[in-house]
Amino acid sequence: MTDRVVPAADRQRRRPTKQGVVLSAELIVETALRLIEEHGADALSVRRLGRALGADPSSLYRYFRHTDDLMLAIADELIGRTLRVWRPTGDWRADLRDLGLRMHTGALAHPRAAMLSAHRVTGRVHEIQAVESMIGVLRRAGFPDPEAVRIYHAFVDQALAFGALDSAVTALPRAAQQAEAEVWRDTYARLPADTHPNIAATARHLVASMRTSSYPAALDLLLTAAQTRLDHIRAQTEG
Amino acid sequence: MTDRVVPAADRQRRRPTKQGVVLSAELIVETALRLIEEHGADALSVRRLGRALGADPSSLYRYFRHTDDLMLAIADELIGRTLRVWRPTGDWRADLRDLGLRMHTGALAHPRAAMLSAHRVTGRVHEIQAVESMIGVLRRAGFPDPEAVRIYHAFVDQALAFGALDSAVTALPRAAQQAEAEVWRDTYARLPADTHPNIAATARHLVASMRTSSYPAALDLLLTAAQTRLDHIRAQTEG
DNA sequence: ACCTTATGACAACACCGTTGACCTGTGAAG
DNA sequence: CTTCACAGGTCAACGGTGTTGTCATAAGGT
């Protein structure tokens, strides 16, 4: 077999499956996303997806080389949805903050998909658009090219990494999730001051903080550091 | 079957396998870690682990309820190893930097375990020790309690999130991993300047940067922002 | 109306985690 | 010593997985 996949653009023979469904890459991706959200990340298998579509599992290999290919298509679709609602204003720091928060909440809206795709490079249209936009924001802000790339890399990976981490938490079974919250209240908050002075002194803040994601804080720290760097660069070029 | 697992402490009948190996939870964990290190993350399956140990795969279910159980045992072992080699010096920034990098490389040394445990709160001794140490470092540096907790939370989640993210990349099949590297060279680096000016202008830096983890950069940005915050706080309390 | 061929279907392969039933050596009790 | 309960190793099987070689057929261009 050389390659059973035909590029989406070249497809024309829209032949329905036995159950009357007309397949397409888009339909497959949509169905996969629905499957993941409704029945969990483990619900995504070629066979189950085929069943959900009303098609033989092997038919999907006419559209995607292998499951990994499909994962990338799903990831790109998610990127596209996030980017589509982002409206940059020209204020680099506010724009990046907005985008970061959107990426994070976007991931949390599809936790299982986010967990499976956060670490993938798709090289597809939506991702390319996103990269172009982000680097553009940084360069227009005045960051020299190497610095812009460095900060872009850290920024995007941090958004994806926290998105996946926080998604993993929400994907935990209800019981396990509640149990983890209780560990902070019942274990950490009760440690005696003589053996664990620092935890005891900050217990109240710990319990409060650990209930929520630290991503907004981490994002602000990253942007603050970038701002510092930018001020430094501007001072140098002026002086 | 009620439960085929017997607590490690209660075990006494040390019966060798057909191939003469005497099993134990420790031996299984060690062998699993070796397997991951030597043959990649996807080399770890119950069947392969059984083969590597010289035992029937189903024997392992006498020691661990299921694979997840085994993964957690492995993760627990890793936390211990990381913390055991950390020696704080008193310089808060250097100490946190050192710990962050150790956590990250510790995760990368055993990607599968890192991916499964990054988002879990164990409440066990090693974890508690780590929390106490980190918050202690920040408080001694002069951060007020709410600020110390905020930065601790962002710091530890960042280390865990990047550890898991980068682990996921290395856990990818060889082929997929190489394919991703090629996307930057063959797709991004070849985009024309008229449609994607920002990517075209920074292509060289992008290809170089994307080859490596952005965690060190992200960590330094976080620490820089923390330093800025600390300077600000000190100026206020002095003035 | 014909012919090509894209595309769907089928069957098979080699793997996976997990479990119920079985067998046997171990170690303690008599 | 011998006995004997049973921990712990083994076997075979189940239902799942991704993937591929082969075949059948309907769609579309000529």
Side-chain angles (χ1 to χ4, degrees):
Chain A
M1 182 179 51
T2 52
D3 195 351
R4 75 204 319 165
V5 175
V6 169
D10 303 8
R11 293 186 171 271
Q12 19 197 8
R13 301 202 185 172
R14 319 283 44 236
R15 175 179 175 179
T17 72
K18 250 186 176 175
Q19 300 186 34
V21 183
V22 176
L23 294 179
S24 70
E26 291 75 25
L27 179 63
I28 295 173
V29 168
E30 268 171 41
T31 308
L33 268 175
R34 222 194 52 228
L35 215 55
I36 291 175
E37 288 320 315
E38 287 178 10
H39 302 105
D42 303 350
L44 189 63
S45 76
V46 178
R47 297 174 126 92
R48 252 199 277 246
L49 184 50
R51 219 179 300 139
L53 280 161
D56 189 89
S58 66
S59 298
L60 306 189
Y61 288 88
R62 299 281 181 204
Y63 295 84
F64 301 98
R65 251 181 281 281
H66 36 245
T67 23
D68 212 62
D69 232 34
L70 172 60
M71 254 352 286
L72 293 184
I74 293 173
D76 199 57
E77 172 60 21
L78 286 184
I79 294 173
R81 291 187 186 183
T82 297
L83 210 65
R84 216 168 290 138
V85 291
W86 178 55
R87 290 276 168 275
T89 63
D91 175 351
W92 72 269
R93 192 163 169 177
D95 288 345
L96 285 187
R97 195 180 131 84
D98 184 42
L99 181 59
L101 292 175
R102 276 186 200 284
M103 287 174 72
H104 188 248
T105 55
L108 286 181
H110 297 272
R112 337 260 186 174
M115 290 170 63
L116 291 174
S117 63
H119 53 99
R120 308 310 311 271
V121 179
T122 71
R124 291 164 125 99
V125 280
H126 292 130
E127 190 192 60
I128 293 176
Q129 252 176 14
V131 175
E132 174 69 15
S133 300
M134 285 187 253
I135 296 183
V137 165
L138 288 166
R139 291 181 79 221
R140 274 190 297 279
F143 288 99
D145 290 351
E147 202 79 9
V149 166
R150 213 175 66 95
I151 291 176
Y152 153 75
H153 193 183
F155 170 83
V156 73
D157 277 8
Q158 182 165 283
L160 293 171
F162 273 84
L165 187 80
D166 292 335
S167 290
V169 173
T170 76
L172 239 42
R174 266 182 97 57
Q177 211 170 328
Q178 198 164 353
E180 301 221 335
E182 279 165 12
V183 168
W184 290 103
R185 274 208 321 278
D186 300 348
T187 303
Y188 280 92
R190 290 187 184 163
L191 291 171
D194 54 339
T195 60
H196 299 82
N198 294 299
I199 291 176
T202 57
R204 200 163 49 83
H205 301 111
L206 267 178
V207 172
S209 177
M210 293 300 155
R211 259 208 309 269
T212 66
S213 167
S214 61
Y215 178 63
L219 173 60
D220 282 332
L221 288 170
L222 188 145
L223 293 174
T224 297
Q227 178 81 66
T228 303
R229 193 87 194 90
L230 187 59
D231 294 344
H232 191 72
I233 289 165
R234 278 185 180 146
Q236 270 193 329
T237 50
E238 280 168 17
Chain B
M1 183 180 47
T2 54
D3 195 350
R4 74 202 323 165
V5 175
V6 168
D10 302 8
R11 294 184 170 270
Q12 20 197 5
R13 302 208 181 168
R14 321 281 49 235
R15 176 178 176 179
T17 72
K18 248 186 176 175
Q19 300 186 34
V21 184
V22 176
L23 294 179
S24 70
E26 290 74 27
L27 180 63
I28 294 173
V29 168
E30 267 172 42
T31 308
L33 279 174
R34 221 194 52 226
L35 216 54
I36 292 175
E37 265 172 26
E38 287 178 8
H39 304 298
D42 40 357
L44 189 63
S45 76
V46 177
R47 296 175 126 92
R48 255 197 275 243
L49 183 52
R51 221 178 299 140
L53 280 161
D56 189 272
S58 65
S59 299
L60 307 189
Y61 289 87
R62 300 277 182 207
Y63 294 84
F64 302 97
R65 250 180 279 283
H66 37 243
T67 26
D68 227 54
D69 233 34
L70 172 60
M71 285 314 314
L72 287 182
I74 293 173
D76 204 53
E77 170 64 21
L78 288 185
I79 292 174
R81 290 189 188 181
T82 297
L83 211 64
R84 216 168 293 139
V85 289
W86 180 56
R87 291 275 169 277
T89 63
D91 174 351
W92 71 271
R93 192 163 171 176
D95 287 346
L96 286 187
R97 195 180 130 84
D98 184 43
L99 181 59
L101 293 176
R102 277 187 200 283
M103 288 174 71
H104 187 249
T105 56
L108 284 182
H110 301 277
R112 276 283 263 277
M115 291 170 62
L116 286 173
S117 61
H119 54 98
R120 296 207 173 162
V121 182
T122 70
R124 288 160 181 248
V125 276
H126 291 316
E127 192 191 56
I128 293 176
Q129 249 176 16
V131 175
E132 173 69 16
S133 301
M134 286 186 253
I135 296 183
V137 165
L138 288 165
R139 291 180 80 222
R140 274 190 297 278
F143 288 99
D145 290 351
E147 202 79 9
V149 166
R150 214 174 65 94
I151 291 175
Y152 153 74
H153 192 183
F155 169 83
V156 73
D157 278 8
Q158 187 191 51
L160 293 171
F162 273 87
L165 187 80
D166 292 335
S167 289
V169 173
T170 75
L172 242 39
R174 268 182 95 59
Q177 213 171 326
Q178 198 166 351
E180 301 224 334
E182 279 166 11
V183 167
W184 291 103
R185 272 211 322 279
D186 300 349
T187 302
Y188 280 92
R190 290 188 184 162
L191 291 171
D194 54 340
T195 60
H196 299 82
N198 295 299
I199 291 176
T202 56
R204 199 164 49 84
H205 301 111
L206 268 177
V207 172
S209 177
M210 291 302 154
R211 259 209 308 268
T212 67
S213 167
S214 60
Y215 177 63
L219 172 60
D220 281 333
L221 287 171
L222 188 144
L223 292 175
T224 297
Q227 177 82 66
T228 302
R229 192 86 195 91
L230 187 58
D231 293 344
H232 190 73
I233 289 164
R234 277 185 181 148
Q236 270 193 330
T237 51
E238 279 168 17

